[in-house]
Every structure is written in structure tokens, then in C-alpha cells.
Amino acid sequence: MSDRGGLGIEGSQLVSYIPGPRSTAPTSPLVMSSQQQNLFDTEPMQWEIDARQQRLVATVVLGEGPNGEYDYLVPDNFCDSDRRDQLLEPGRRVRVPFGRSNRKVVAYCVQLETKSVDAGRLKEVAQVVDSSTLLSPEMLRITRWMAEYYLCPWGQVLEAVVPAGVRQQAGTREVQLVHVPEDVLQEMPKLKLPPKQRHALELLAKQSDPLTKAQLAKAAGCTSAPIQQLLKKGLIQAEKTRIATSQLDEAAVERVLPLSLNPDQQAALDQISDAMEADEACGIVLHGVTGSGKTEVYLHAIDQVVGYGRQAIVLVPEISLTPQTVRRFRARFDSVAVLHSHQSAVERHAHWQRIARGEVQVVVGARSAVFAPTPNLGLIVIDEEHESSFKQDTAPRYHARDVAWQRAVGERIPLVLGSATPSLESWYRAEQKEFTLTSLPRRVSDRSMPDVVTIDLRDRAQSRGGRGGISRPLHQAMTAALHDHGQVILFLNRRGFSTHIQCPACGFVLQCPHCDLSLTFHRQQNQTLCHYCDYHASPPTNCPDCKSHAIRYGGLGTQKLEDEVRARFPKHACARMDTDSMRARGSHQRVLDAFGRGEIDILLGTQMIAKGLDFPNVTLVGVINADTALHLPDFRAGERTFQLVAQVAGRTGRGDKGGRVIVQTLSPDHPAIKAAVRHDFPAFAKQELIVRRTLHYPPYGAMVRLVIRGPLEETTRGVAEELDDRLKQAGGNEKSLRVIGPAPAAIPKLRGNYRFQIQMQASEGDALRRIIELATVRFKSPRDIIWTVDVDPADML
């Protein structure tokens, strides 16, 4: 099967999907112009005209299978507004006969229209699957935009937008509910019934909600026989429905009063308030230094939205969706729903239903929460909007920021993009006056920004102090901070114990057999592990190549750093936070709560600790190696390094004790490091945007990345070269087009597949989409070759 960003289906029968009017064949550049002579009479026959009639037609899109839109007749029994559970509306799923075999498939109804059709040529909708609408007209519009923009089948987008737990109705069961019809209620005094039947009928008539037969029998103190007799006589009616089998368990949170805003915060809130009252879409880039109180601005703005009787969506990176973050919102609002990837299908479905019923004031969640079915949305906030995790890495490869802007446009509401280190795309749009820029240049209570010192690891005088990851200046700073009863955060974005295993005798490096990557040694599990495909094996005791016993475990991971910290500071409690140590449910919250209570003195970990934490007693942050992402083959490497160093530095200096940051690096003169040390985002953005403009990189141009992967290197290379030729031929008239490749990807082999990439650039994204659609209309590839299209790629590896 092909997973190429939605542009194809079977690997050897790929066709281009172009969302738009229904058609029976793929668009082809070889189709004759309508002005050219046609050998066949295209006018309909008279009998065809006579057979046409006005009928209600449902246009549906399949969630899986062939692309395109298909028309079906709507039977009268699906048009009865009195039976809402069986009423067919756009946004509900249906079951329809498909293909020559008429097998029943599930599809999404995207449009209902009364029009003249030949009813004999159309099949009928067989069943309405959903008792309520899953997708509003506005959400249908957004999903269609996503299909067109990200070159992905509409059905695939719809499947991604509606969670699996909602589609499967997780946590519910089907029951029959009985009620008394209106005409029976009027005739009840005249009815002559046995005592038990009359008692049950009268009891049911007094109920505000329907009951199950078992509930009615229990309440009436009778068996099911009287209930069955009432049903048989038509005095009560039964309808099938689904009810929840479990309740959401939300811990109570003590309410807190809003904090007073300083002048900078009030000015930012005023801008958001004005935008809300303007009744039009407005993008606001809220650039606030770390600790400047951006979250309090969000909370005040949301309070206004809730006061209008509307809802707000707050998106945060999955890694920042900490219990501490959630508690801040639940302490201020009566009804908060949280959506994230670690929830069960039952929890996800329950939250979705609460949101759709309008019972939720604030939705807090990761990327996919942008699709929350809020009935009266008033504001969208994206916190830490620069985070790359807002870009989905599987089809549909959407960016939550761009989808949120589309939703803001449709709903005529503000979109607030908050960050201490905004993405250059958002910053550029603010510079171009497409978005409004508002700043929080100072920390709350006028606390000073922490002093940042770099340790040049190339200089032995600075880095001496041992063979571990902690230099002498950092060790001394940690000793001083702990002596003053402060807390320390150490950041290292490398999991495991040793990041590579090498033989000094022959140079052999232990690699994953499925990926072109080194294996990482995890000492706690006593395994070597690939962090991409999860391949694991026992660690070697001698070189697998030359059999030398001098095999060396090199590199520094968080496990080794933890051992070093415990050895250097044995009297101080230490905890590690990374994906290896935080696997157990609730472990994240337990560690952070203990750190907040002062039970842990030193907290070390990966980027899990770099964002979203607010602990006033942290007086020192140490960045063990600032260069881990700096020299990757990605044009955003410098931007990401600046963001990471600036964000982790912001974890200190939030209390009365102040704070200090020590950054260990081999590249102290790199512009990203120098700007981060000065807390100077505008200077970094100005210099980096000059580089982007020179190379026509985003935001000064559009980019699409195609990745072709397969088990055989030469076959995969051949497919990549053929696709490259087609793209260049299709884009021959586009002067701004630049096609780079095909070339081996930065990670040439991954999960057993060889990878080649093609990078496309042009001044406008629409031009790139047209070229790709034209080039892939009749493109066929072997079944074992998978190729993906990533519009606006966030990851170049």
C-alpha cells in the first residue's frame, strides 16, 4: 500500500487525488479540450432526459479505499426530522453499497443536494451510522482545505479529524429506551389496564428522560411481562440508542482568583479583547520572554470568552501538557476538557461528546485538539507555537498552526500565537503586518532575566574537571546553588547511557541492522537499542568485527549523566525525566510534584524538562551539550538550537533568589548560541531571516519534500529518479521552481528501507502543488516502494 501523503492508493496503480468536483476518472493532461471535435455524440438521449427527476442526493467520501466523491440517493426514511437518530445530514457517516459487488462500506456524507438525476443509475444509502453529526459544515470546509493544501485524500483527513474512539463509540453500549408517545399521554385517563401495567405506564409518563425496560421494571416493582404487554399494545415505544458505560474521573482542583496584570500584560490583553469584539479573524503573535506571564494573559482572555458564553481551545505541545499546566486551567474554570495521545479511546470519546454538547468551557490539548467540536468557538490559543510537534509526521501531514488559522478565519475569531521564541514563519507574518505583534519584554514583578555563561568545551582550561559531562565551572555552580538550598535542572537531549559503541582497534561502530544509525546502550535494561525502530540486542563484550576486547562505550546519555550526578552529589536527591524513566502512568506528575515540594534537589532530563515548568526555587540550569542539534543537515537547525537553549534557560530565575544558566558548547561563537546567551530573539530572527531570504527558504518561499523508500536500494533510487524527471518536466514553465535531488536522505536507511529525498522549492505553494499533481497523474511504482509528500516540512531528516 502507498503512504505518499495521500496522493496514491495501490503502489502500482497510483493516481493523483485532486479534491474538487466529482468525476469518474482522474484528471489527465491528455484529455481532449471540449472545443476539439468529438467522434461520439455527447448529447443525452431523449429517454435519458425523460428519466431524470428531482431527488435528494447525498455526496459521500470514503474513509478508506478509492479517492473521490460519490453520489447516492437518500431514501425517505432518512429525511424524517422527527427521528434525529436516523436523520441524514452532512457530517454524519453512512453505510453505502460500493462497487459491482455492492459490498457495504462506511463513508462520510459531505453534502446533501436536491437535483435532477437519473434515479435508475444511482444506488441508495443503506444506513445512517451516526445518531448525531460528527462534523460541522465549518469543519467539513476545513478538512477539504487540508486535503487540497496537504495533497491528501479528503477521506483520509476525515478519518484523522474524528478520533477512532468516537468512530467506534468507545465506552458506550446499545440499549432500548422506552417512552410514552404524545397521543397516549392524552388518552391515559380513559385507558383500562391491569394494575401493574397502569402503574408502569404512569411511572414512565412522569419521567423527564426515557428508561430502559429493566429500569422501568425495577422502578415499577414488576417483572418484564407488563412492560412487554405495554409495548405490544403500542402504549409505550422503544428506540435503540447508545449510552455511556463509564464516567470521567476528574480530580477536584482548588479554585484560585485571577492575578493582577502588569501594564505589559494588560496591553496584550486589550489587543486580544479588541480582536474578539471586532468579529473578524485576527492573528496575534504574543512574544513574551520566559517568565513574562503569557499564561495569565491567556487565562484573562479566556475568562472573557467564557463570559460571552463561548468556548476556547488552547493548544500546547504534547511534551508541555503537564499536570501543572492542566491544574492552572482547572483552577480557573468550571469545565475543562483535556485531549492528548495517552488517553484511552473511552476517555477520548467521552471528552469529545462533552465538548460537542457545549458542556466544556475550555479545551486544552495537543495538536489534534484543534479539531475539537466546540459549538460556539470564541478563541484559539497556541502556546509555545514554535514547537515542531505541532506538525504531524504521518498523513495528513498538517500543521496545527495553519489549521488553527483556517478555523479562526471561518469562525471570525482571534488566533493567539504565544512564545518566547516564535517560529520565523509567524514572526515574518507579523513583520509583514499580516498578523499583529504584541510583546511582553519583561518578566513579572520586574524580575531580571538569568545570567547566561557559556563554557567552551574546546578550551581545556574551562572544561577540565573530569571525564564526565559536568565541567568544573558547572560543578562549582551546582555546589553553590545546592548549598544555598536552591534547586538545579540539568538538560541533555540524549537518552540512554552511551550513545555509541566503537572498537578502537579496527574502528567498527555497532549499528542497527535495519537503520543507518548507531545503537545506544541502555544500562538499566542492559540492552543496545535503536531509538527509531526499537531494535534491541544484548551489548557486545568484544568487537563483533575483529574480536578485540577493547570495545569502548562512548558518548553521554541521560542515564550516564544521572550516575555522574549521584556520584558527585551523593547527599542530594536526584531524578531523571526522559521517555525511558517516565513510562509508568502518572510518573510524570509524581516527579514534578516531588520537585515542586522540594523533595528532589537535582532534576535532569531531555527536552521533557525544557518547557512549561515553573518552579521558583530553581536557581541554576545547566545545558550539558548545546550542540546536539546544531549541526544537523536541516535548515532549521540553528533556529531549533536557539529555541531550545532560550527555553531551558527560562526555567530559572522565576523566584526571589534569581537564577543562572551555564551552557556547555563546542560552538560558543555560533549566532544561535550567542543570541540565546543575550536573550535576544529579534537579533537572531533578523540574522536568520537574511540567510533564509538568500536561499529562498521559508518563509520567503514554499517547500515540499518527497521521500521515496523501499527495501532495495537501486530500485528505490530508480523510482526516485523517474519521479524527479517527471517533476522537472511538469514544472518546466515555472521560473521560480527549484528541484534538488534525488539524493540519499539524511538518514539513508530506516526501519529496513532505503530512503531518497527530493526537495522542491518555489515562490508559491500552489505552483508546487500543481506540478506534483500533474507529474503524478499516471505515475506508477512497484508495490514495495512507498513515497510520501510533505508540504511545508518541519523535519528534513
Side-chain angles (χ1 to χ4, degrees):
M1 294 297 291
S2 171
D3 171 28
R4 41 165 302 231
L7 285 179
I9 44 175
E10 295 286 347
S12 60
Q13 299 173 331
L14 294 173
V15 293
S16 175
Y17 172 68
I18 306 173
R22 290 171 298 286
S23 60
T24 57
T27 303
S28 170
L30 303 178
V31 174
M32 279 189 176
S33 166
S34 60
Q35 297 178 350
Q36 290 179 279
Q37 183 178 4
N38 200 313
L39 297 178
F40 303 98
D41 186 5
T42 58
E43 292 297 319
M45 301 295 290
Q46 184 61 42
W47 64 269
E48 292 178 309
I49 297 174
D50 294 341
R52 301 183 74 84
Q53 52 186 287
Q54 293 291 317
R55 293 290 300 273
L56 182 61
V57 175
T59 301
V60 306
V61 172
L62 273 61
E64 296 179 356
N67 301 322
E69 302 169 27
Y70 300 90
D71 284 348
Y72 286 83
L73 295 178
V74 180
D76 293 340
N77 58 310
F78 296 149
C79 303
D80 186 356
S81 59
D82 292 332
R83 298 191 60 193
R84 294 290 304 173
D85 60 326
Q86 285 295 299
L87 180 64
L88 180 53
E89 295 176 315
R92 296 195 189 193
R93 289 177 301 160
V94 293
R95 202 166 262 112
V96 295
F98 191 80
R100 292 183 179 179
S101 64
N102 284 328
R103 62 188 176 92
K104 298 297 191 296
V105 297
V106 175
Y108 291 83
C109 176
V110 297
Q111 180 178 314
L112 286 176
E113 182 182 5
T114 300
K115 57 185 177 181
S116 177
V117 296
D118 182 355
R121 292 192 171 189
L122 293 183
K123 302 174 184 178
E124 287 191 344
V125 173
Q127 180 189 354
V128 177
V129 175
D130 302 304
S131 59
S132 60
T133 303
L134 300 182
L135 297 147
S136 66
E138 176 58 23
M139 192 55 67
L140 286 173
R141 181 195 68 82
I142 290 173
T143 54
R144 182 161 193 151
W145 171 84
M146 290 173 63
E148 295 172 349
Y149 188 88
Y150 294 107
L151 298 173
C152 184
W154 194 358
Q156 192 173 26
V157 176
L158 293 168
E159 289 281 280
V161 167
V162 182
V166 176
R167 299 196 304 269
Q168 298 160 4
Q169 299 181 316
T172 65
R173 61 186 176 91
E174 190 176 80
V175 297
Q176 276 195 334
L177 295 179
V178 292
H179 68 280
V180 182
E182 192 66 34
D183 57 339
V184 175
L185 286 172
Q186 297 173 2
E187 298 295 325
M188 274 182 60
K190 305 175 185 178
L191 296 174
K192 294 182 179 181
L193 295 169
K196 289 186 177 180
Q197 292 183 28
R198 173 167 289 280
H199 180 55
L201 183 63
E202 290 176 347
L203 191 67
L204 182 59
K206 293 176 182 178
Q207 302 298 315
S208 57
D209 296 314
L211 301 176
T212 65
K213 289 186 288 185
Q215 287 172 335
L216 178 57
K218 183 178 180 180
C222 65
T223 64
S224 62
I227 313 300
Q228 289 298 128
Q229 286 299 315
L230 290 172
L231 282 166
K232 193 173 182 180
K233 294 174 181 178
L235 298 178
I236 64 175
Q237 290 181 351
E239 289 186 358
K240 289 182 179 180
T241 189
R242 300 191 75 87
I243 61 171
T245 57
S246 60
Q247 298 293 323
L248 288 171
D249 183 19
E250 294 182 0
V253 177
E254 183 180 353
R255 296 296 293 269
V256 298
L257 295 174
L259 302 176
S260 298
L261 302 182
N262 62 31
D264 292 334
Q265 290 173 307
Q266 188 62 52
L269 177 62
D270 290 343
Q271 281 200 323
I272 299 172
S273 301
D274 292 344
M276 287 191 287
E277 293 175 1
D279 190 34
E280 62 182 26
C282 176
I284 300 173
V285 177
L286 178 57
H287 173 225
V289 298
T290 55
S292 59
K294 294 185 290 295
T295 304
E296 193 61 34
V297 174
Y298 305 153
L299 292 168
H300 275 73
I302 294 168
D303 195 44
Q304 293 182 12
V305 170
V306 172
Y308 297 148
R310 309 185 76 176
Q311 300 89 40
I313 294 176
V314 182
L315 302 185
V316 299
E318 183 93 44
I319 204 168
S320 299
L321 195 55
T322 62
Q324 187 183 33
T325 302
V326 174
R327 273 199 300 267
R328 290 195 68 176
F329 285 92
R330 285 192 168 147
R332 296 280 282 273
F333 301 102
D334 294 330
S335 181
V336 177
V338 181
L339 302 176
H340 57 79
S341 63
H342 299 300
Q343 286 174 322
S344 68
V346 173
E347 291 173 318
R348 190 89 176 185
H349 183 209
H351 280 301
W352 176 280
Q353 293 297 345
R354 286 183 60 221
I355 296 166
R357 291 193 298 265
E359 299 173 4
V360 171
Q361 297 169 326
V362 186
V363 180
V364 181
R367 178 180 59 230
S368 61
V370 72
F371 304 119
T374 49
N376 195 13
L377 188 61
L379 176 68
I380 303 176
V381 174
I382 304 183
D383 191 32
E384 310 291 2
E385 67 88 21
H386 64 276
E387 267 290 317
S388 59
S389 63
F390 284 123
K391 180 74 156 70
Q392 174 132 316
D393 57 3
T394 57
R397 292 173 172 81
Y398 68 91
H399 199 298
R401 179 186 61 225
D402 298 325
V403 175
W405 175 240
Q406 283 296 316
R407 192 162 186 189
V409 169
E411 304 273 5
R412 302 174 67 87
I413 60 173
L415 167 64
V416 178
L417 304 172
S419 177
T421 56
S423 65
L424 292 182
E425 286 82 359
S426 297
W427 186 259
Y428 177 76
R429 293 186 76 170
E431 285 188 337
Q432 298 302 305
K433 308 302 181 184
E434 296 176 31
F435 286 171
T436 301
L437 176 64
T438 184
S439 296
L440 301 177
R442 289 172 288 276
R443 285 187 156 185
V444 293
S445 303
D446 286 325
R447 292 192 177 99
S448 60
M449 296 295 291
D451 293 329
V452 183
V453 177
T454 57
I455 303 299
D456 188 351
L457 296 180
R458 302 169 301 179
D459 185 348
R460 291 187 178 182
Q462 291 193 51
S463 62
R464 70 177 185 272
R467 298 181 60 185
I470 300 174
S471 63
R472 176 174 291 179
L474 178 56
H475 178 92
Q476 293 170 343
M478 291 176 66
T479 301
L482 295 169
H483 181 268
D484 293 336
H485 305 291
Q487 291 172 294
V488 177
I489 288 179
L490 298 179
F491 171 75
L492 175 63
N493 208 23
R494 284 285 183 271
R495 290 165 50 203
F497 190 86
S498 300
T499 57
H500 62 273
I501 301 171
Q502 188 172 20
C503 174
C506 68
F508 171 84
V509 176
L510 188 66
Q511 289 191 310
C512 173
H514 309 297
C515 308
D516 198 359
L517 293 163
S518 298
L519 291 175
T520 300
F521 174 55
H522 288 247
R523 194 168 76 171
Q524 287 182 341
Q525 298 91 346
N526 194 34
Q527 286 186 332
T528 57
L529 180 68
C530 175
H531 289 167
Y532 280 82
C533 75
D534 291 332
Y535 168 83
H536 57 275
S538 299
T541 55
N542 51 30
C543 176
D545 211 22
C546 72
K547 310 306 177 185
S548 169
H549 291 285
I551 192 82
R552 186 170 61 195
Y553 288 67
L556 178 67
T558 49
Q559 291 181 5
K560 185 185 287 187
L561 178 63
E562 181 184 18
D563 282 1
E564 182 180 351
V565 169
R566 293 186 185 280
R568 287 175 181 255
F569 303 96
K571 296 182 180 180
H572 294 277
C574 171
R576 170 169 57 90
M577 287 186 68
D578 53 27
T579 53
D580 298 314
S581 61
M582 296 290 109
R583 295 185 187 277
R585 189 178 181 91
S587 56
H588 197 275
Q589 182 171 353
R590 285 193 295 272
V591 171
L592 291 181
D593 286 347
F595 191 63
R597 293 191 299 265
E599 297 170 7
I600 296 172
D601 301 315
I602 305 170
L603 181 65
L604 65 94
T606 56
Q607 57 181 330
M608 194 175 286
I609 64 170
K611 309 173 185 71
L613 304 185
D614 188 357
F615 296 106
N617 198 41
V618 174
T619 58
L620 176 67
V621 165
V623 179
I624 302 301
N625 185 355
D627 309 325
T628 52
L630 187 58
H631 302 296
L632 293 175
D634 189 327
F635 71 93
R636 289 191 175 92
E639 180 182 8
R640 292 209 178 106
T641 297
F642 173 87
Q643 291 166 347
L644 205 52
V645 173
Q647 290 287 340
V648 74
R651 299 313 103 202
T652 187
R654 291 172 175 253
D656 296 334
K657 295 181 180 179
R660 188 182 180 200
V661 183
I662 293 182
V663 179
Q664 299 182 163
T665 175
L666 290 165
S667 309
D669 297 323
H670 193 282
I673 301 290
K674 293 174 70 174
V677 166
R678 299 193 307 268
H679 308 286
D680 194 349
F681 174 78
F684 168 76
K686 181 179 180 180
Q687 185 166 359
E688 184 69 13
L689 284 173
I690 292 173
V691 177
R692 298 278 184 93
R693 188 190 307 116
T694 302
L695 299 173
H696 305 290
Y697 281 150
Y700 293 99
M703 180 182 291
V704 175
R705 180 176 183 242
L706 294 91
V707 176
I708 303 92
R709 64 183 190 269
L712 301 176
E713 184 175 11
E714 288 307 313
T715 304
T716 308
R717 186 196 305 273
V719 172
E721 290 173 347
E722 181 185 353
L723 185 56
D724 178 66
D725 291 339
R726 284 173 164 268
L727 291 168
K728 290 174 179 176
Q729 184 176 0
N733 295 326
E734 177 58 48
K735 294 182 180 179
S736 67
L737 177 65
R738 184 184 180 200
V739 181
I740 304 173
I747 303 177
K749 187 180 180 184
L750 194 63
R751 302 181 184 95
N753 285 311
Y754 293 92
R755 305 167 72 241
F756 292 84
Q757 72 174 27
I758 300 172
Q759 180 177 311
M760 299 179 65
Q761 295 175 236
S763 57
E764 299 291 338
D766 287 342
L768 293 178
R769 279 182 281 274
R770 285 195 301 270
I771 292 168
I772 293 170
E773 289 168 352
L774 183 62
T776 58
V777 167
R778 299 187 181 278
F779 180 68
K780 296 180 180 180
S781 65
R783 285 185 178 273
D784 57 354
I785 300 296
I786 299 170
W787 52 291
T788 61
V789 178
D790 190 2
V791 178
D792 302 335
D795 182 1
M796 303 300 291
L797 300 182

